[in-house]
Amino acid sequence: MKKQTKTYVLLGLVALIWGLIGFRILGALSPQPAAAPEVSTSSFSPTSVKERDTFSIVANYRDPFLGTLATKAKKKIPVRRTAPKETVPAVDIRYTGFITDKNTRQKVFFLSINGQQHLMSAKDKIENVTLLSGTRNTVRVRIGNKLRTVTLTQ
């Protein structure tokens, strides 16, 4: 082959390759609308789920290191809870002293209830506190349904 023939063959080959590249670029820039793929409708039926096989290990053999048998776990006894009883709110009561009327012999006691001082005689009721009786050193009071003895404070 002559030198010019080789050049013409190679020139044709280069033109063919550049032609293919140009054709692909033009095809990508102006694509033909592709036909929509057919969607086939089929019924769906889920496969059945197999239940797991469960097992338990019974380890009631002798311990190889200690040489003892395994002990059975003790059953837990449920704790029975009773309903909480109604509690009377805590009342701060302090007995600070008393005075006696000479003519009538009636005693008047000084009680401090929740920080407020009151003068009370027997069977008086203030703030759900009833004074039942009293002596020189103590008084008996009823708070709601509970009895309480309060000693003299100085």
Side-chain angles (χ1 to χ4, degrees), residues 10-23:
L10 286 176
L11 186 62
L13 200 62
V14 169
L16 180 68
I17 291 173
W18 276 108
L20 286 174
I21 291 173
F23 180 73

Side-chain angles (χ1 to χ4, degrees), residues 20-117:
L20 286 174
I21 291 173
F23 180 73
R24 293 225 173 158
I25 290 174
L26 286 175
L29 292 177
S30 61
Q32 297 292 330
E38 282 189 34
V39 178
S40 62
T41 58
S42 63
S43 63
F44 175 73
S45 61
T47 59
S48 62
V49 177
K50 291 183 181 178
E51 223 176 284
R52 279 189 158 180
D53 186 23
T54 59
F55 61 92
S56 63
I57 297 175
V58 179
N60 58 357
Y61 49 86
R62 185 179 63 85
D63 186 355
F65 300 105
L66 297 176
T68 59
L69 290 175
T71 59
K72 293 183 180 180
K74 294 181 180 179
K75 294 181 181 179
K76 292 185 179 180
I77 299 172
V79 178
R80 296 184 185 201
R81 297 180 188 238
T82 58
K85 296 179 182 178
E86 279 190 40
T87 58
V88 177
V91 179
D92 181 33
I93 300 175
R94 295 178 188 214
Y95 172 46
T96 55
F98 79 100
I99 57 173
T100 307
D101 186 13
K102 291 183 179 180
N103 296 335
T104 61
R105 294 256 193 219
Q106 183 180 7
K107 295 180 181 178
V108 178
F109 298 94
F110 298 110
L111 292 178
S112 177
I113 301 172
N114 290 333
Q116 294 182 350
Q117 192 165 17

